[in-house]
Amino acid sequence: DDAALIKRLGFTPKRYLAETVIVNQGEDCDRMFIVESGWGCISHELAGGQRQILDFALRGDIVLPQSYTGRALETFVAQTELSVLVASTKTFTVAAMQSPRLFSLVIETLVHNAAVVAQHLTNVGRRSALARTAHLFLELRTRLERIGSVTRNSYECPLTQYDLADALGLTPIHVNRMLRELRERK
């Protein structure tokens, strides 16, 4: 029923190639996205070309670019080829009001976003580089397991060491060391 409601309300399927910027930080944005397949990346762009990855968007996730006065505070990029359903925020709000399940997904998304921010703050503020690296891989495993993308206790991870560095607040060289140490510790 929810899938039919989404289609009836005009959600548009879109496909993006890997590394395509979907929403630029600072642009007008009243759109939201439901990820159908692939990996997306939500980041905050910093002066000098650096970025802090805030979260990865996976199948089933709702991406609501944070905005202030209608301008996106984050950049949303297709990490891999990404298929999404796109709608205006207003359209999604109408859909959520007609479906308790969609409304609960909105609440779940907001709670998830707050939890991710809290974990990122804890990572960069108090966790060791090794602990924050392990934490990210375990978080991804848990999320991917929920959507059936874990097989034999492993999962496909398209992230580069540069992506991991931007998500963990480390240098790519330090990430390399942490990955080596995690492998050594099995």
Side-chain angles (χ1 to χ4, degrees):
D1 290 343
D2 291 329
L5 177 63
I6 285 171
K7 288 183 181 173
R8 192 169 64 248
L9 286 170
F11 281 74
T12 308
K14 283 211 151 196
R15 199 172 197 88
Y16 297 95
L17 297 176
E19 300 180 28
T20 301
V21 176
I22 301 166
V23 175
N24 255 318
Q25 180 175 311
E27 75 180 29
D28 289 336
C29 182
D30 76 336
R31 296 171 290 160
M32 57 79 50
F33 308 85
I34 300 173
V35 178
E36 290 192 299
S37 67
W39 287 53
C41 171
I42 301 155
S43 62
H44 186 80
E45 308 303 312
L46 304 168
Q50 293 181 314
R51 69 180 176 166
Q52 175 65 53
I53 293 177
L54 304 173
D55 198 6
F56 296 100
L58 307 174
R59 184 169 46 95
D61 286 348
I62 298 172
V63 178
L64 296 160
Q66 300 294 315
S67 66
Y68 182 72
T69 64
R71 296 207 179 277
L73 298 175
E74 304 159 342
T75 296
F76 178 34
V77 175
Q79 193 76 20
T80 64
E81 187 173 299
L82 189 70
S83 294
V84 295
L85 294 171
V86 185
S88 73
T89 309
K90 184 178 180 181
T91 297
F92 187 70
T93 302
V94 169
M97 295 306 205
Q98 294 179 24
S99 166
R101 185 164 185 271
L102 284 178
F103 184 75
S104 71
L105 282 173
V106 171
I107 299 300
E108 184 179 316
T109 296
L110 296 173
V111 169
H112 166 82
N113 291 348
V116 167
V117 168
Q119 290 301 319
H120 274 262
L121 281 172
T122 304
N123 273 343
V124 297
R126 293 293 179 198
R127 286 191 182 117
S128 69
L130 187 65
R132 68 177 91 160
T133 304
H135 183 273
L136 178 62
F137 283 118
L138 291 170
E139 174 192 321
L140 289 171
R141 181 192 184 281
T142 299
R143 291 174 62 196
L144 289 164
E145 190 172 45
R146 266 191 9 216
I147 60 173
S149 294
V150 174
T151 55
R152 294 190 205 149
N153 210 22
S154 68
Y155 58 89
E156 298 264 337
C157 184
L159 306 177
T160 67
Q161 288 183 19
Y162 291 96
D163 297 327
L164 293 170
D166 290 346
L168 297 169
L170 302 171
T171 65
I173 292 168
H174 206 104
V175 167
N176 184 286
R177 289 185 194 128
M178 295 305 96
L179 294 173
R180 185 173 54 240
E181 187 169 340
L182 287 170
R183 276 192 297 271
E184 288 170 2
R185 291 183 180 200
K186 298 186 191 264

